[in-house]
Amino acid sequence: MNDSRFLKIVIVILLLINIGSISFMWLHHPPPPPMQDRDAMHFLIHELNLSDAQKSQFEKLKDEHHDGMERLQDNGRDFHNRYFDLIKSSSDTNTVTQMADSISLNQKQIELLTFYHFKSVRNILTAEQQKKFDDLIGEALRKMAPPPHSERR
């Protein structure tokens, strides 16, 4: 009988530990990573108080920018794969340099596409909204940026 009581106490203690652990994980789990582009878009729409027509134009510009970025990012991945495949072969310096230049040009196109995207967004705004946009664009870009890497130990 004594062994039975001991086992029941151990089971209750283990159940309490499990419930406590699950509760702790449930209450202290990290929030999901933000959807950066979506957060920045909603941030700008809200802060600039866009009209329905402006929202429609903004959405169209966002979709065009997204399509262009996908294409350029695909190109960038392809360039990087081909670039590092050169390690496997006895490539001359000229080939390596040309591939690095292709990567650089692709990144330049990404930067230009983003710059002109926001220039186009600014052009659909009223003068008052443009002033506010100029003040907010830095914060919107930070919302779009990938989260910083955590320090390695």
Side-chain angles (χ1 to χ4, degrees), residues 90-149:
S90 57
S91 302
D92 60 39
T93 304
N94 192 34
T95 304
V96 172
T97 301
Q98 286 175 348
M99 188 55 64
D101 289 344
S102 295
I103 292 168
S104 297
L105 179 60
N106 190 71
Q107 185 61 40
K108 177 182 176 181
Q109 290 172 331
I110 287 172
E111 299 301 327
L112 288 170
L113 180 68
T114 300
F115 176 85
Y116 287 113
H117 164 70
F118 283 110
K119 187 91 168 144
S120 296
V121 168
R122 190 177 186 279
N123 287 337
I124 68 171
L125 303 175
T126 66
E128 184 179 313
Q129 288 171 323
Q130 285 179 349
K131 289 177 187 172
K132 194 164 189 177
F133 177 85
D134 295 344
D135 293 337
L136 296 173
I137 188 62
E139 188 173 347
L141 292 172
R142 280 189 294 281
K143 288 181 179 293
M144 288 176 52
H149 295 292

Side-chain angles (χ1 to χ4, degrees), residues 2 7 28 39 47 57 80 106 113-114 121 137-138 141 146 148:
N2 200 7
L7 288 176
H28 294 91
D39 287 349
E47 292 296 319
Q57 290 174 305
H80 275 96
N106 190 71
L113 180 68
T114 300
V121 168
I137 188 62
L141 292 172

Side-chain angles (χ1 to χ4, degrees), residues 25-39 143 145 147:
M25 289 187 304
W26 182 268
L27 296 172
H28 294 91
H29 71 282
M35 294 173 47
Q36 286 108 352
D37 291 344
R38 188 170 178 85
D39 287 349
K143 288 181 179 293

Side-chain angles (χ1 to χ4, degrees), residues 64-104:
E64 289 171 359
H65 178 255
H66 179 76
D67 292 344
M69 288 296 285
E70 276 190 340
R71 181 182 48 78
L72 289 170
Q73 288 170 341
D74 288 346
N75 288 346
R77 279 188 292 277
D78 181 53
F79 288 143
H80 275 96
N81 289 338
R82 291 180 17 217
Y83 181 68
F84 285 104
D85 281 346
L86 295 174
I87 293 172
K88 301 173 195 171
S89 65
S90 57
S91 302
D92 60 39
T93 304
N94 192 34
T95 304
V96 172
T97 301
Q98 286 175 348
M99 188 55 64
D101 289 344
S102 295
I103 292 168
S104 297

Side-chain angles (χ1 to χ4, degrees), residues 6-20:
F6 174 74
L7 288 176
K8 287 179 184 179
I9 292 172
V10 169
I11 290 172
V12 168
I13 291 172
L14 289 174
L15 280 172
L16 290 174
I17 291 172
N18 282 336
I19 290 170

